[in-house]
Amino acid sequence: MQAVISLQAGAVRAPRLGRVQRRVKAEAAENGAAATATLEKKDRKLSPLERGGTLKGAAAAGKDASEKFKSMAEGASGSAGPVLQLVDGRFMDYRWKGGRWDLSMFKGKDGEVDWDAVIDVEMARRKLLEDSPIPCTNEEPVLFDTSEIPWWAWVRRFHLPEAEKLNGRAAMMGYVLALFVDQLTGVGLLDQQNSFIGKVLLHICVFAILLIRTTSDIDKYKNLVDEATFYDKQWNATWEGQERPSDN
């Protein structure tokens, strides 16, 4: 009887042991596959996206990036020094030497100074000091002046794009209005330009575009009108309910 029971117990244990062995083998196989996948993943070369892109230098900072991030992309922040920083109440930049920008640091491959880059860093410096003012000292005077930047650099940077935009608006508005008058009255474009009224309307259109460049300009002129009439309104408010000497 005991022999039969022991045989039955052995028969029960044998399947259990087989299942445990199979489970151990399966786990070992999974671990081995995971280790192999890990090794294959480590050995696989990184894609351009994983490497941070295919661009190098300042171009890797992205389009319209600030001077700080361009310099960091070029490795200047790690090798040359700080870039547009305030350290212990002092403005620090590896291109700022003796209270002025070292223009030799802004020369391009052609040997010419990139004045657009100089304008960018000066604007960034002034914005930084505007947000975080620091005291001026006689020991570290600011000697750089924006007049050192050539006039044509300012014109190319700011005036030409604005002039191109305004000229395009004036041309489109003038053509549309002239076409509207032509359809309404039958007077052609050449006749409108040669007539006195046509010239007056043309000048009104051009000056209106120059005065109102954006919708925010309308609010600006409204504020100017309110400011110009503010004291008159205040004066009239003081005489409400009272008889003025001039009314007698």
Side-chain angles (χ1 to χ4, degrees):
M1 187 69 178
Q2 292 180 352
V4 174
I5 294 173
S6 62
L7 289 174
Q8 291 178 352
V12 172
R13 290 176 183 174
R16 289 182 180 177
L17 182 60
R19 287 197 296 269
V20 171
Q21 290 177 350
R22 287 196 297 271
R23 186 183 302 171
V24 171
K25 290 181 181 180
E27 291 179 355
E30 291 178 357
N31 293 334
T36 304
T38 303
L39 291 175
E40 291 179 355
K41 185 176 182 181
K42 289 183 178 179
D43 295 339
R44 183 177 63 83
K45 293 183 179 180
L46 297 176
S47 66
L49 183 60
E50 292 173 334
R51 292 197 306 267
T54 57
L55 300 178
K56 297 181 180 179
K63 185 179 179 182
D64 298 330
S66 63
E67 284 298 317
K68 179 178 180 180
F69 289 103
K70 286 182 180 179
S71 301
M72 290 174 64
E74 291 176 346
S77 60
S79 59
V83 177
L84 296 172
Q85 296 180 9
L86 293 178
V87 181
D88 296 332
R90 298 172 54 193
F91 174 75
M92 302 293 293
D93 193 295
Y94 74 98
R95 298 160 295 181
W96 182 265
K97 300 178 181 179
R100 61 187 308 105
W101 294 109
D102 186 1
L103 299 181
S104 62
M105 305 292 292
F106 296 91
K107 290 185 178 180
K109 296 180 180 180
D110 56 355
E112 300 292 333
V113 177
D114 186 0
W115 293 110
D116 287 333
V118 178
I119 294 174
D120 288 337
V121 295
E122 178 61 15
M123 292 173 60
R125 183 185 74 88
R126 298 194 176 202
K127 178 62 177 176
L128 178 64
L129 297 179
E130 181 181 352
D131 296 337
S132 303
I134 59 176
C136 297
T137 60
N138 294 329
E139 291 77 11
E140 297 180 354
V142 177
L143 304 178
F144 180 79
D145 194 281
T146 53
S147 61
E148 300 179 24
I149 302 175
W151 63 270
W152 51 264
W154 295 106
V155 172
R156 183 183 62 186
R157 176 64 182 272
F158 296 104
H159 298 286
L160 287 183
E162 189 70 14
E164 183 178 359
K165 181 172 63 176
L166 294 177
N167 288 337
R169 289 179 181 176
M172 289 187 292
M173 290 298 299
Y175 179 79
V176 170
L177 293 177
L179 185 62
F180 177 75
V181 173
D182 186 6
Q183 294 294 326
L184 188 64
T185 63
V187 180
L189 298 178
L190 293 178
D191 294 334
Q192 293 180 36
Q193 288 184 339
N194 292 329
S195 65
F196 176 76
I197 297 178
K199 293 179 180 179
V200 171
L201 295 177
L202 178 62
H203 281 78
I204 291 175
C205 177
V206 172
F207 284 116
I209 292 175
L210 291 175
L211 293 175
I212 304 176
R213 303 182 181 184
T214 60
T215 54
S216 60
D217 290 338
I218 299 176
D219 297 332
K220 179 180 67 178
Y221 290 120
K222 287 182 178 179
N223 294 334
L224 288 176
V225 172
D226 293 338
E227 185 177 353
T229 59
F230 174 75
Y231 293 105
D232 291 338
K233 294 179 181 178
Q234 194 176 36
W235 172 260
N236 292 329
T238 57
W239 290 101
E240 288 183 0
Q242 300 182 15
E243 185 178 358
R244 299 188 183 186
S246 59
D247 295 338
N248 296 331

